[in-house]
Every structure is written in structure tokens, then in C-alpha cells.
Amino acid sequence: LPVVFALDRAGIVGDDGKTHQGFIDVSYLRCLPNMEVAEPKDEKELRDLLYTGVMHDGPFAVRYPRGTGPGAPTDLPMEQLPVGRGEVLRQGADITLAGFGATVTECLKAAAILEDDGIEATVVNARYAKPLDDELFLGLAETTGGIITAEENVRAGGFGEAVLALLAEHGLAARFLAALTMPDAIVDHGPQPTFRRIWNLDATGIAERSRQALRRAGA
């Protein structure tokens, strides 16, 4: 049925209490047949994805975090986005940083940090954990030094595991370098920047995990 599920407080919830943390919704939604699972990178894309969901002929879930976004305009006409298609925000041959939702902004900042070290990173705004943009991820696995995913969801059943499964099906599992996720635990609550730093989901953490992954890969 054409039902839109708008999932508020997705990911790190801030000071609302640890039972309010939104770390498992990607996992339990991805296993549902016909369900589309999306998360925007900013305020404008949130409006566009909600509009896309309303226009979509089937179940459609949009998750979005508590708090303010990066500051994208919200007074532009809404547009329908292609289902199952991500976008490349920055090009670089050494590594791909694939963000899902709130982590996209941190991936862009991490790419700038890595550039100071002479590492050129591609940054992807995945938009969809289901369906994945298969063509995009398979192409980047073959043309960059490998893929790191970042998401505010647990690893089991999340966006990163979806990317890994896709690559494995095509003999490219070795090109999956790391999945940056929340832990399989009841995590205490607190300021979002604090917990992004703790779990390596801020720019500094993503950049450091990228360096470690490249060293392990011998790049």
C-alpha cells in the first residue's frame, strides 16, 4: 500500500533519553518486502524525499534526525527524486566515503581532512539503504581504493551490510574497507556531537578510520 512512514529522531537522539535512540529502524525496515528506506543529507532533501514518498506507489520510509540540519534552503519547490539512486558529491580516486543521512556532511568534512594528507576521497550521498544504487556502488568499488560506509544505525541489517552484500555478490567484497556504525548496545544519551565523536561518526573519526583502512589495504 502507498503508505509513508516518517521516522523522527532517527540515529543519535541527543538528550531525549537512551531508550529513544534511533539505531535499529534501518535494520527492521530493510527486511520488509517492497519497502523503500531513505534518509536525506539535509533539510531540502528531506522535503524532496517526503514528496517522493507521497508520490511513490508503495510503502516508503523516510528517517530523519532530531535537531537542526546543515542549513540547506527549504523554500525551493519540492522535486521527486529517483528511487534507489544516490549521488556523488565529491570525486577522488583513493577511497570512497559513503554516507547515509546525517553522516554525509561528516563524510564531506572528512574528505577535506584527508585531502590535507594527500588522500583524495569520493563522497557519496547514498539516499537509500533499500533499494541500493547498485550501479553506483559497484562502479566505485572498481574505480577507487575501496568503500567505507557511515551510518547512525547498528551494523546488523544496516546500510553498510547492504553495501557489503552487494559487493560480495559481484566478487568485490575485498573492496569493502569498513562499516562505521553504532554498537550493538543500549547507548547512553547526550549531545549528538559527543556521541558521533565517541563512535567515529564525526569528520575526525571517519578520516582516521579511512587512514587505518588504507594502511591495512596497503594503499
Side-chain angles (χ1 to χ4, degrees):
L1 295 175
V3 179
V4 177
F5 296 84
L7 307 177
D8 183 32
R9 285 165 164 73
I12 299 170
V13 78
D15 297 313
D16 282 0
K18 61 185 178 181
T19 59
H20 286 57
Q21 301 278 28
F23 299 153
I24 62 173
D25 52 288
V26 175
S27 306
Y28 69 68
L29 289 168
R30 276 189 59 238
C31 66
L32 297 177
N34 302 314
M35 180 68 75
E36 320 289 348
V37 184
E39 183 173 4
K41 70 179 186 296
D42 58 32
E43 302 93 325
K44 179 184 183 303
E45 198 162 83
L46 171 57
R47 297 173 77 244
D48 292 341
L49 283 173
L50 284 170
Y51 179 69
T52 301
V54 169
M55 301 299 290
H56 181 66
D57 186 21
F60 195 98
V62 183
R63 72 192 304 259
Y64 49 94
R66 176 181 186 262
T68 58
T74 57
D75 57 352
L76 301 175
M78 287 183 283
E79 59 179 308
Q80 191 169 353
L81 300 175
V83 173
R85 289 291 178 267
E87 62 174 344
V88 174
L89 302 177
R90 175 182 174 131
Q91 297 274 5
D94 295 322
I95 195 170
T96 294
L97 307 180
F100 183 55
T103 58
V104 173
T105 297
E106 299 302 320
C107 285
L108 283 169
K109 294 176 183 177
I113 295 172
L114 292 171
E115 186 176 27
D116 292 338
D117 297 336
I119 300 170
E120 293 298 328
T122 289
V123 176
V124 170
N125 168 28
R127 279 193 188 135
Y128 293 90
K130 181 184 179 182
L132 281 180
D133 191 335
D134 293 4
E135 182 179 352
L136 175 61
F137 286 111
L138 291 173
L140 290 171
E142 293 181 322
T143 58
T144 69
I147 297 176
I148 285 181
T149 60
E151 64 189 299
E152 292 185 6
N153 193 79
V154 295
R155 179 167 302 180
F159 162 64
E161 281 201 352
V163 175
L164 174 57
L166 170 68
L167 299 188
E169 287 172 3
H170 291 81
L172 295 168
R175 311 300 285 179
F176 189 86
L177 302 180
L180 307 185
T181 67
M182 294 303 297
D184 182 18
I186 303 299
V187 176
D188 203 357
H189 70 127
Q192 290 166 317
T194 299
F195 281 90
R196 286 175 183 142
R197 182 174 67 253
I198 290 171
W199 299 110
N200 295 315
L201 288 169
D202 66 349
T204 301
I206 294 169
E208 179 55 29
R209 291 292 299 274
S210 299
R211 295 187 198 99
Q212 293 172 5
L214 288 172
R215 286 195 293 268
R216 287 197 303 271

